PDB file of all heavy atoms in Angstrom:
ATOM      1  N   VAL J   5      83.855 129.489 105.579  1.00 48.00           N
ATOM      2  CA  VAL J   5      85.368 129.449 106.012  1.00 48.00           C
ATOM      3  C   VAL J   5      85.476 128.605 107.223  1.00 48.00           C
ATOM      4  O   VAL J   5      86.464 127.908 107.348  1.00 48.00           O
ATOM      5  CB  VAL J   5      85.782 130.981 106.363  1.00 48.00           C
ATOM      6  CG1 VAL J   5      87.192 130.947 106.924  1.00 48.00           C
ATOM      7  CG2 VAL J   5      85.814 131.762 105.043  1.00 48.00           C
ATOM      8  N   ILE J   6      84.548 128.821 108.240  1.00 45.00           N
ATOM      9  CA  ILE J   6      84.638 127.993 109.376  1.00 45.00           C
ATOM     10  C   ILE J   6      84.622 126.494 109.093  1.00 45.00           C
ATOM     11  O   ILE J   6      85.379 125.692 109.677  1.00 45.00           O
ATOM     12  CB  ILE J   6      83.574 128.363 110.363  1.00 45.00           C
ATOM     13  CG1 ILE J   6      83.710 129.851 110.876  1.00 45.00           C
ATOM     14  CG2 ILE J   6      83.498 127.373 111.557  1.00 45.00           C
ATOM     15  CD1 ILE J   6      82.544 130.231 111.754  1.00 45.00           C
ATOM     16  N   LEU J   7      83.730 126.133 108.233  1.00 48.00           N
ATOM     17  CA  LEU J   7      83.564 124.666 107.844  1.00 48.00           C
ATOM     18  C   LEU J   7      84.851 124.270 107.082  1.00 48.00           C
ATOM     19  O   LEU J   7      85.322 123.043 107.330  1.00 48.00           O
ATOM     20  CB  LEU J   7      82.344 124.505 106.942  1.00 48.00           C
ATOM     21  CG  LEU J   7      80.922 124.458 107.508  1.00 48.00           C
ATOM     22  CD1 LEU J   7      79.860 124.451 106.477  1.00 48.00           C
ATOM     23  CD2 LEU J   7      80.900 123.276 108.469  1.00 48.00           C
ATOM     24  N   CYS J   8      85.452 125.095 106.299  1.00 52.00           N
ATOM     25  CA  CYS J   8      86.793 124.680 105.683  1.00 52.00           C
ATOM     26  C   CYS J   8      87.737 124.356 106.727  1.00 52.00           C
ATOM     27  O   CYS J   8      88.546 123.383 106.602  1.00 52.00           O
ATOM     28  CB  CYS J   8      87.230 125.811 104.715  1.00 52.00           C
ATOM     29  SG  CYS J   8      86.286 125.957 103.293  1.00 52.00           S
ATOM     30  N   VAL J   9      87.875 125.257 107.687  1.00 48.00           N
ATOM     31  CA  VAL J   9      88.904 125.037 108.768  1.00 48.00           C
ATOM     32  C   VAL J   9      88.522 123.780 109.509  1.00 48.00           C
ATOM     33  O   VAL J   9      89.450 122.909 109.803  1.00 48.00           O
ATOM     34  CB  VAL J   9      88.934 126.203 109.733  1.00 48.00           C
ATOM     35  CG1 VAL J   9      89.867 125.889 110.938  1.00 48.00           C
ATOM     36  CG2 VAL J   9      89.361 127.441 109.008  1.00 48.00           C
ATOM     37  N   VAL J  10      87.305 123.536 109.954  1.00 46.00           N
ATOM     38  CA  VAL J  10      86.890 122.300 110.729  1.00 46.00           C
ATOM     39  C   VAL J  10      87.120 121.108 109.952  1.00 46.00           C
ATOM     40  O   VAL J  10      87.690 120.138 110.359  1.00 46.00           O
ATOM     41  CB  VAL J  10      85.454 122.379 111.118  1.00 46.00           C
ATOM     42  CG1 VAL J  10      84.859 121.179 111.735  1.00 46.00           C
ATOM     43  CG2 VAL J  10      85.236 123.622 112.089  1.00 46.00           C
ATOM     44  N   CYS J  11      86.830 121.071 108.571  1.00 50.00           N
ATOM     45  CA  CYS J  11      86.968 119.905 107.736  1.00 50.00           C
ATOM     46  C   CYS J  11      88.415 119.623 107.519  1.00 50.00           C
ATOM     47  O   CYS J  11      88.840 118.534 107.476  1.00 50.00           O
ATOM     48  CB  CYS J  11      86.283 120.144 106.338  1.00 50.00           C
ATOM     49  SG  CYS J  11      84.456 120.202 106.394  1.00 50.00           S
ATOM     50  N   GLY J  12      89.278 120.662 107.437  1.00 51.00           N
ATOM     51  CA  GLY J  12      90.696 120.439 107.244  1.00 51.00           C
ATOM     52  C   GLY J  12      91.301 119.772 108.454  1.00 51.00           C
ATOM     53  O   GLY J  12      92.091 118.840 108.453  1.00 51.00           O
ATOM     54  N   LEU J  13      90.969 120.256 109.688  1.00 45.00           N
ATOM     55  CA  LEU J  13      91.430 119.728 110.978  1.00 45.00           C
ATOM     56  C   LEU J  13      90.936 118.197 111.068  1.00 45.00           C
ATOM     57  O   LEU J  13      91.632 117.386 111.469  1.00 45.00           O
ATOM     58  CB  LEU J  13      90.956 120.444 112.158  1.00 45.00           C
ATOM     59  CG  LEU J  13      91.573 121.931 112.257  1.00 45.00           C
ATOM     60  CD1 LEU J  13      91.048 122.603 113.442  1.00 45.00           C
ATOM     61  CD2 LEU J  13      93.099 121.836 112.429  1.00 45.00           C
ATOM     62  N   PHE J  14      89.629 117.984 110.656  1.00 46.00           N
ATOM     63  CA  PHE J  14      89.078 116.652 110.848  1.00 46.00           C
ATOM     64  C   PHE J  14      89.794 115.752 109.735  1.00 46.00           C
ATOM     65  O   PHE J  14      90.035 114.583 110.080  1.00 46.00           O
ATOM     66  CB  PHE J  14      87.518 116.720 110.536  1.00 46.00           C
ATOM     67  CG  PHE J  14      86.873 115.442 110.586  1.00 46.00           C
ATOM     68  CD1 PHE J  14      87.019 114.662 111.735  1.00 46.00           C
ATOM     69  CD2 PHE J  14      85.946 115.078 109.663  1.00 46.00           C
ATOM     70  CE1 PHE J  14      86.323 113.384 111.822  1.00 46.00           C
ATOM     71  CE2 PHE J  14      85.306 113.820 109.776  1.00 46.00           C
ATOM     72  CZ  PHE J  14      85.461 112.938 110.891  1.00 46.00           C
ATOM     73  N   ALA J  15      90.065 116.295 108.630  1.00 50.00           N
ATOM     74  CA  ALA J  15      90.764 115.413 107.602  1.00 50.00           C
ATOM     75  C   ALA J  15      92.157 115.000 108.060  1.00 50.00           C
ATOM     76  O   ALA J  15      92.541 113.875 107.979  1.00 50.00           O
ATOM     77  CB  ALA J  15      90.886 116.195 106.342  1.00 50.00           C
ATOM     78  N   PHE J  16      92.818 115.920 108.765  1.00 48.00           N
ATOM     79  CA  PHE J  16      94.146 115.675 109.231  1.00 48.00           C
ATOM     80  C   PHE J  16      94.041 114.674 110.312  1.00 48.00           C
ATOM     81  O   PHE J  16      94.879 113.698 110.364  1.00 48.00           O
ATOM     82  CB  PHE J  16      94.819 116.878 109.766  1.00 48.00           C
ATOM     83  CG  PHE J  16      96.175 116.776 110.439  1.00 48.00           C
ATOM     84  CD1 PHE J  16      97.207 116.555 109.639  1.00 48.00           C
ATOM     85  CD2 PHE J  16      96.390 116.702 111.710  1.00 48.00           C
ATOM     86  CE1 PHE J  16      98.584 116.402 110.084  1.00 48.00           C
ATOM     87  CE2 PHE J  16      97.572 116.453 112.383  1.00 48.00           C
ATOM     88  CZ  PHE J  16      98.666 116.260 111.478  1.00 48.00           C
ATOM     89  N   ALA J  17      93.139 114.719 111.167  1.00 45.00           N
ATOM     90  CA  ALA J  17      92.942 113.798 112.274  1.00 45.00           C
ATOM     91  C   ALA J  17      92.677 112.395 111.721  1.00 45.00           C
ATOM     92  O   ALA J  17      93.262 111.459 112.226  1.00 45.00           O
ATOM     93  CB  ALA J  17      91.881 114.211 113.241  1.00 45.00           C
ATOM     94  N   MET J  18      91.772 112.337 110.749  1.00 44.00           N
ATOM     95  CA  MET J  18      91.452 110.976 110.201  1.00 44.00           C
ATOM     96  C   MET J  18      92.518 110.381 109.502  1.00 44.00           C
ATOM     97  O   MET J  18      92.809 109.166 109.400  1.00 44.00           O
ATOM     98  CB  MET J  18      90.223 111.148 109.246  1.00 44.00           C
ATOM     99  CG  MET J  18      88.875 111.519 110.030  1.00 44.00           C
ATOM    100  SD  MET J  18      87.431 111.404 109.045  1.00 44.00           S
ATOM    101  CE  MET J  18      87.397 109.586 108.587  1.00 44.00           C
ATOM    102  N   THR J  19      93.319 111.306 108.783  1.00 46.00           N
ATOM    103  CA  THR J  19      94.524 110.722 108.043  1.00 46.00           C
ATOM    104  C   THR J  19      95.518 110.090 108.945  1.00 46.00           C
ATOM    105  O   THR J  19      96.138 109.026 108.717  1.00 46.00           O
ATOM    106  CB  THR J  19      95.218 111.917 107.228  1.00 46.00           C
ATOM    107  OG1 THR J  19      94.206 112.488 106.428  1.00 46.00           O
ATOM    108  CG2 THR J  19      96.341 111.396 106.447  1.00 46.00           C
ATOM    109  N   GLN J  20      95.640 110.720 110.146  1.00 45.00           N
ATOM    110  CA  GLN J  20      96.545 110.185 111.125  1.00 45.00           C
ATOM    111  C   GLN J  20      96.067 108.785 111.721  1.00 45.00           C
ATOM    112  O   GLN J  20      96.767 107.867 112.103  1.00 45.00           O
ATOM    113  CB  GLN J  20      96.887 111.085 112.279  1.00 45.00           C
ATOM    114  CG  GLN J  20      97.430 112.387 111.714  1.00 45.00           C
ATOM    115  CD  GLN J  20      98.829 112.218 110.951  1.00 45.00           C
ATOM    116  OE1 GLN J  20      99.626 111.413 111.509  1.00 45.00           O
ATOM    117  NE2 GLN J  20      98.926 112.780 109.929  1.00 45.00           N
ATOM    118  N   ALA J  21      94.763 108.694 111.824  1.00 44.00           N
ATOM    119  CA  ALA J  21      94.166 107.542 112.509  1.00 44.00           C
ATOM    120  C   ALA J  21      93.893 106.337 111.658  1.00 44.00           C
ATOM    121  O   ALA J  21      93.954 105.292 112.062  1.00 44.00           O
ATOM    122  CB  ALA J  21      92.770 108.000 113.098  1.00 44.00           C
ATOM    123  N   MET J  22      93.747 106.668 110.360  1.00 44.00           N
ATOM    124  CA  MET J  22      93.370 105.581 109.386  1.00 44.00           C
ATOM    125  C   MET J  22      94.636 104.998 108.776  1.00 44.00           C
ATOM    126  O   MET J  22      95.784 105.349 109.193  1.00 44.00           O
ATOM    127  CB  MET J  22      92.392 106.151 108.354  1.00 44.00           C
ATOM    128  CG  MET J  22      90.994 106.588 108.796  1.00 44.00           C
ATOM    129  SD  MET J  22      90.010 107.139 107.504  1.00 44.00           S
ATOM    130  CE  MET J  22      89.736 105.674 106.455  1.00 44.00           C
ATOM    131  N   SER J  23      94.501 104.158 107.802  1.00 45.00           N
ATOM    132  CA  SER J  23      95.482 103.529 107.028  1.00 45.00           C
ATOM    133  C   SER J  23      96.597 104.595 106.648  1.00 45.00           C
ATOM    134  O   SER J  23      96.234 105.586 106.059  1.00 45.00           O
ATOM    135  CB  SER J  23      95.083 102.765 105.918  1.00 45.00           C
ATOM    136  OG  SER J  23      96.165 102.299 105.127  1.00 45.00           O
ATOM    137  N   PRO J  24      97.884 104.386 106.881  1.00 47.00           N
ATOM    138  CA  PRO J  24      98.937 105.223 106.356  1.00 47.00           C
ATOM    139  C   PRO J  24      99.160 105.269 104.929  1.00 47.00           C
ATOM    140  O   PRO J  24      99.916 106.082 104.363  1.00 47.00           O
ATOM    141  CB  PRO J  24     100.193 104.750 107.073  1.00 47.00           C
ATOM    142  CG  PRO J  24      99.946 103.331 107.307  1.00 47.00           C
ATOM    143  CD  PRO J  24      98.468 103.127 107.536  1.00 47.00           C
ATOM    144  N   SER J  25      98.447 104.497 104.215  1.00 46.00           N
ATOM    145  CA  SER J  25      98.584 104.386 102.653  1.00 46.00           C
ATOM    146  C   SER J  25      98.037 105.642 102.063  1.00 46.00           C
ATOM    147  O   SER J  25      97.211 106.244 102.659  1.00 46.00           O
ATOM    148  CB  SER J  25      98.006 103.069 102.172  1.00 46.00           C
ATOM    149  OG  SER J  25      96.615 103.236 102.267  1.00 46.00           O
ATOM    150  N   PRO J  26      98.490 105.976 100.844  1.00 45.00           N
ATOM    151  CA  PRO J  26      97.949 107.121 100.158  1.00 45.00           C
ATOM    152  C   PRO J  26      96.404 107.028  99.901  1.00 45.00           C
ATOM    153  O   PRO J  26      95.642 108.001 100.047  1.00 45.00           O
ATOM    154  CB  PRO J  26      98.675 107.156  98.889  1.00 45.00           C
ATOM    155  CG  PRO J  26      99.981 106.510  99.120  1.00 45.00           C
ATOM    156  CD  PRO J  26      99.657 105.442 100.130  1.00 45.00           C
ATOM    157  N   ILE J  27      95.993 105.686  99.553  1.00 43.00           N
ATOM    158  CA  ILE J  27      94.573 105.618  99.335  1.00 43.00           C
ATOM    159  C   ILE J  27      93.726 105.827 100.601  1.00 43.00           C
ATOM    160  O   ILE J  27      92.706 106.471 100.564  1.00 43.00           O
ATOM    161  CB  ILE J  27      94.312 104.023  98.882  1.00 43.00           C
ATOM    162  CG1 ILE J  27      94.942 103.896  97.481  1.00 43.00           C
ATOM    163  CG2 ILE J  27      92.868 103.831  98.782  1.00 43.00           C
ATOM    164  CD1 ILE J  27      94.834 102.499  96.925  1.00 43.00           C
ATOM    165  N   GLY J  28      94.281 105.340 101.772  1.00 48.00           N
ATOM    166  CA  GLY J  28      93.435 105.556 103.050  1.00 48.00           C
ATOM    167  C   GLY J  28      93.520 107.015 103.316  1.00 48.00           C
ATOM    168  O   GLY J  28      92.461 107.492 103.856  1.00 48.00           O
TER     169      GLY J  28
END
């Protein structure tokens, strides 16, 4: 559960930092 939360937050941060395209 903790890893799911951490991975979700990390994914959100990377989505904002990387290319705004759907592929990115």
Side-chain angles (χ1 to χ4, degrees):
V5 171
I6 293 173
L7 281 172
C8 286
V9 175
V10 172
C11 289
L13 294 175
F14 184 46
F16 177 77
M18 291 190 68
T19 302
Q20 300 302 313
M22 294 180 65
S23 169
S25 67
I27 295 177

